[in-house]
Amino acid sequence: REKREKRDKREKRGLAPPLQAVSSEVEDELVLEPISRIEGTVKLPGSKSLSNRILLTAALADGETKVENLLRSDDIQYMLEALKKPNVSMDD
């Protein structure tokens, strides 16, 4: 019952239900159903690969994405410069 109440509150706020792994032939597969909105905080270790991926994901997302503690490296700087070219707005 408690889980149902939490789910109902999330739906009223327009938030997606919590992610759930879907069983399939691949054990470690996570299937995400289409959602209209997602909200939350994700903390990841600093890495060049993850930093570039979050920049691309943020550029493709609608709305505003706040990225903190972005790894600073030449590669990340190149990505930031490349994202400015198609008019992706960002603050340093």
Side-chain angles (χ1 to χ4, degrees), residues 4 20 25 32-33 38 45 47 66 68 72 85:
R4 187 172 2 130
Q20 296 179 359
E25 293 179 18
L32 302 177
E33 298 298 326
I38 188 166
S47 84
K66 183 177 181 180
E68 296 179 332
R72 294 295 179 174
K85 293 186 183 206

Side-chain angles (χ1 to χ4, degrees), residues 39-79:
E39 180 181 294
T41 301
V42 177
K43 293 184 180 185
L44 300 171
S47 84
K48 182 172 55 176
S49 177
L50 291 175
S51 293
N52 273 329
R53 287 182 182 142
I54 192 61
L55 289 173
L56 286 173
T57 302
L60 294 170
D62 289 332
E64 185 175 305
T65 302
K66 183 177 181 180
V67 178
E68 296 179 332
N69 300 321
L70 188 67
L71 181 73
R72 294 295 179 174
S73 72
D74 288 343
D75 288 352
I76 302 305
Q77 193 60 43
Y78 295 138
M79 176 65 78

